[in-house]
């Protein structure tokens, strides 16, 4: 059953967005944690960063930069942007004419609309828990490759607020990749190729790359659920499309005739197809085409490409762009992500006031709390601790109740090289 956006955002009124944003940016936006993340232990990294604000009326303001957290906070409260995008860190503070990008997180964008040709439950901007399974499988596949094939550790997955997810790889080696290396990484992770009218978009070599084998192991775990919930073989056209991957014409015609006379479910048809055709390489091609990640290549390859910021509000749905707890990925429900309306209502029931450091943790008294706790505990703290090997005196903070615990890590600058071997290309990133 298709879930409409109207159902997904019940209780949120877009006409009240400006008033809601005023409350959100005043009391709930996590300025301290946000700044700790994007400065990477160096204030110059933050002050040379490009931000973009989308203002009411679709006014798009690029090349904004801020000298400090305080200036960023003042501007956010003053402009109340409906969307915040994050860009690259430049050689100088933008926008002088001679600036050039020097670093940015390695980012990926997975959007549900790229699955419209295969999902059967929803279309376009609509999503439900059945088709969200495609996003879950894609996240597992990409995350495994980034960690095991490339050795990255500091990876943040963020719900886009509507119909997809964004991935931020924040390791130093990833942030300083040039465009050629970013293209190499995303091409390594791209398997589905071909235009709208091409039926078969995955063709495997005789010997599978280990990364593809690992992807298949992830996909196999969830493919039968997808087969049942999406009814991949529910119609003659769907059966013909999947059977076109196989070469035994006689057996294919026999199966089509049998499927038309017998009321088999899609999973039963799939089992018969796999058993009778005995062509595992083509079974693998079908599973990969129907469940392998579909990445927006342009988002990844351009170091100057903007991407929606975590913790901003999606103006269409009102939902917060929250971090996703990867350890509990299978139970993440995009429909349960809080809206800005939810948060403001919860804030009304809380006592606002007290010391400044407590006031700045008001989000911990709302349904944003578990997302922020995950962000600090599982992403931000490990990231800042890793910076302790490349910088002196990095503050590492974690939320504990209504206060904050601070400890200081001292160490010396270290130099290292990373070599990512994959297929026939090699990426070398000097410190």
């Amino acid at each position: 059953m298709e879930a409409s956006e109207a159902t997904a955002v019940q209780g949120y009124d877009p006409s009240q967005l400006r008033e809601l944003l005023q409350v959100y940016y005043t009391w709930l936006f996590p300025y301290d944690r946000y700044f700790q993340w994007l400065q990477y232990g160096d204030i110059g990294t933050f002050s040379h960063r490009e931000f973009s604000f989308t203002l009411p009326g679709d006014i798009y303001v690029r090349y904004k930069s801020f000298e400090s957290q305080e200036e960023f906070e003042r501007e956010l409260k003053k402009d109340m942007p409906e969307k915040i995008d994050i860009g690259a860190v430049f050689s100088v503070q933008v926008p002088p004419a001679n600036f050039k990008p020097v670093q940015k997180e390695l980012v990926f964008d997975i959007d549900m609309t790229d699955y419209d040709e295969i999902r059967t439950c929803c279309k376009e901007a609509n999503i439900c828990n059945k088709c969200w399974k495609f996003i879950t499988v894609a996240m597992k596949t990409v995350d495994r490759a980034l960690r095991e094939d490339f050795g990255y550790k500091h990876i943040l997955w963020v719900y886009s607020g509507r119909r997809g997810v964004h991935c931020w790889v924040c390791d130093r080696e990833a942030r300083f990749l040039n465009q050629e290396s970013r293209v190499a990484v995303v091409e390594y992770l791209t398997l589905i190729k071909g235009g709208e009218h091409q039926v078969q978009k995955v063709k495997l070599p005789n010997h599978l790359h280990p990364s593809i084998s690992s992807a298949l192991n992830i996909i196999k775990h969830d493919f039968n659920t997808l087969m049942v919930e999406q009814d991949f073989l529910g119609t003659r056209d769907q059966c013909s499309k999947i059977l076109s991957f196989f070469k035994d014409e006689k057996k294919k015609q026999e199966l089509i005739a049998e499927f038309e006379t017998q009321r088999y479910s899609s999973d039963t048809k799939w089992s018969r197809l796999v058993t009778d055709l005995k062509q595992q390489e083509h079974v693998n091609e079908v599973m990969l085409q129907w469940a392998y990640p579909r990445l927006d290549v342009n988002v990844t390859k351009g170091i100057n490409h903007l991407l929606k910021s975590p913790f901003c509000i999606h103006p269409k749905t009102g939902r917060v762009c929250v971090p996703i707890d990867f350890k509990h990925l299978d139970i993440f429900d995009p429909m349960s992500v809080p809206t800005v309306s939810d948060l403001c209502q919860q804030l009304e029931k809380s006592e606002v006031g007290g010391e400044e450091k407590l006031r700045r943790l008001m989000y911990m008294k709302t349904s944003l709390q578990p997302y922020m706790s995950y962000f600090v505990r599982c992403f931000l703290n490990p990231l800042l601790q890793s910076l302790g090997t490349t910088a002196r005196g990095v503050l590492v903070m974690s939320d504990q109740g209504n206060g904050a615990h601070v400890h200081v890590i001292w160490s010396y600058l270290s130099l290292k090289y990373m070599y990512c071997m994959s297929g026939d290309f090699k990426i070398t990133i000097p410190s």
Side-chain angles (χ1 to χ4, degrees):
M1 177 179 174
E2 184 171 318
S4 68
E5 271 194 303
T7 301
V9 293
Q10 186 175 6
Y12 167 67
D13 182 357
S15 68
Q16 297 179 352
L17 179 59
R18 191 150 183 84
E19 291 78 11
L20 294 168
L21 287 176
Q22 184 176 20
V23 176
Y24 180 73
Y25 288 135
T26 300
W27 293 104
L28 297 171
F29 191 90
Y31 294 103
D32 293 346
R33 303 295 176 253
Y34 192 83
F35 182 76
Q36 283 179 312
W37 166 38
L38 290 179
Q39 75 163 342
Y40 292 102
D42 177 9
I43 183 60
T45 303
F46 187 87
S47 63
H48 289 184
R49 170 86 67 170
E50 178 195 358
F51 291 89
S52 170
F53 287 179
T54 302
L55 306 178
D58 284 332
I59 299 172
Y60 194 56
V61 184
R62 282 200 67 171
Y63 301 114
K64 293 182 71 68
S65 62
F66 308 97
E67 287 282 359
S68 64
Q69 175 183 335
E70 291 72 25
E71 183 184 357
F72 175 73
E73 187 171 342
R74 284 196 304 270
E75 286 293 304
L76 224 56
K77 291 176 180 177
K78 177 175 70 71
D79 292 344
M80 292 187 289
E82 294 184 350
K83 185 163 77 103
I84 308 166
D85 289 298
I86 299 176
V89 178
F90 288 84
S91 53
V92 295
Q93 192 168 10
V94 294
N98 60 345
F99 65 92
K100 63 178 183 178
V102 294
Q103 66 163 296
K104 195 188 80 170
E105 296 79 6
L106 179 64
V107 295
F108 300 90
D109 180 15
I110 306 174
D111 194 295
M112 188 66 82
T113 54
D114 292 324
Y115 293 83
D116 279 356
E117 66 172 340
I118 56 174
R119 62 174 175 154
T120 60
C121 52
C122 307
K123 295 295 180 186
E124 299 177 349
N126 295 316
I127 62 169
C128 69
N129 288 321
K130 289 181 179 180
C131 57
W132 191 258
K133 176 69 73 175
F134 287 112
I135 301 293
T136 300
V137 173
M139 290 172 65
K140 291 177 181 178
T141 305
V142 172
D143 193 85
R144 186 220 61 80
L146 292 173
R147 294 182 189 278
E148 297 181 14
D149 298 352
F150 292 93
Y152 295 134
K153 297 178 181 179
H154 305 291
I155 301 172
L156 179 67
W157 288 94
V158 180
Y159 174 48
S160 72
R162 194 180 193 186
R163 59 174 184 257
V165 294
H166 300 148
C167 176
W168 299 76
V169 185
C170 301
D171 300 60
R172 187 185 191 282
E173 296 86 355
R175 288 186 281 121
F176 282 90
L177 287 174
N178 60 24
Q179 181 163 327
E180 181 182 16
S181 297
R182 292 169 193 265
V183 170
V185 173
V186 75
E187 286 184 351
Y188 173 80
L189 294 171
T190 299
L191 193 59
I192 300 170
K193 299 179 179 179
E196 180 182 353
H197 302 293
Q198 183 173 331
V199 175
Q200 186 170 352
K201 300 179 182 180
V202 174
K203 294 183 179 180
L204 296 176
N206 292 330
H207 300 287
L208 291 183
H209 189 283
S211 184
I212 297 176
S213 297
S214 297
L216 277 167
N217 289 334
I218 292 171
I219 290 169
K220 286 175 184 177
H221 184 269
D222 291 301
F223 193 75
N224 200 57
T225 300
L226 284 169
M227 178 65 69
V228 172
E229 293 183 344
Q230 296 296 325
D231 200 17
F232 287 150
L233 292 166
T235 67
R236 180 184 176 89
D237 286 346
Q238 289 171 310
C239 289
S240 297
K241 186 175 181 179
I242 287 181
L243 283 166
S244 68
F245 282 65
F246 299 87
K247 309 305 179 186
D248 189 335
E249 293 297 330
K250 179 181 178 181
K251 193 63 180 177
K252 283 160 57 176
Q253 293 305 316
E254 291 175 357
L255 285 172
I256 289 175
E258 182 180 347
F259 292 167
E260 288 182 342
T261 58
Q262 302 293 328
R263 293 189 174 183
Y264 292 152
S265 62
S266 279
D267 58 325
T268 300
K269 291 178 183 178
W270 177 247
S271 296
R272 288 297 309 278
L273 186 154
V274 171
T275 302
D276 290 12
L277 291 175
K278 297 182 175 66
Q279 296 175 23
Q280 188 60 46
E281 69 274 20
H282 301 310
V283 170
N284 291 341
E285 288 171 343
V286 170
M287 289 193 292
L288 289 167
Q289 183 162 323
W290 265 254
Y292 192 82
R294 297 174 177 231
L295 302 174
D296 187 332
V297 175
N298 291 326
V299 171
T300 303
K301 71 181 185 181
I303 190 172
N304 203 20
H305 199 289
L306 299 172
L307 190 63
K308 187 190 304 176
S309 170
F311 306 113
C312 72
I313 307 297
H314 196 294
K316 298 287 187 182
T317 66
R319 297 203 184 281
V320 186
C321 298
V322 294
I324 298 173
D325 186 343
F326 204 83
K327 291 183 179 179
H328 299 98
L329 182 58
D330 286 316
I331 61 173
F332 175 79
D333 179 6
M335 303 301 187
S336 68
V337 171
T339 67
V340 65
S341 301
D342 297 332
L343 299 178
C344 291
Q345 290 172 9
Q346 293 160 12
L347 191 64
E348 286 181 359
K349 300 176 182 177
S350 301
E351 183 179 348
V352 177
E355 297 180 26
E356 177 64 18
K357 68 177 183 179
L358 300 183
R359 293 178 63 194
R360 299 181 73 82
L361 292 172
M362 287 303 296
Y363 54 78
M364 299 300 284
K365 297 185 177 181
T366 71
S367 52
L368 201 56
Q369 184 271 332
Y371 303 101
M372 282 305 306
S373 293
Y374 169 78
F375 176 76
V376 172
R377 183 182 69 255
C378 297
F379 170 73
L380 183 60
N381 275 353
L383 174 65
L384 296 183
Q385 288 167 1
S386 75
L387 294 173
T389 64
T390 58
R392 277 176 160 258
V394 177
L395 287 178
V396 182
M397 304 184 70
S398 62
D399 293 320
Q400 294 185 350
N402 291 326
H405 173 67
V406 183
H407 63 276
V408 180
I409 298 175
W410 297 95
S411 65
Y412 291 97
L413 180 67
S414 67
L415 300 175
K416 61 182 179 178
Y417 291 84
M418 176 182 177
Y419 298 91
C420 294
M421 294 298 298
S422 174
D424 57 357
F425 70 88
K426 180 170 75 172
I427 306 170
T428 305
I429 308 97
S431 295

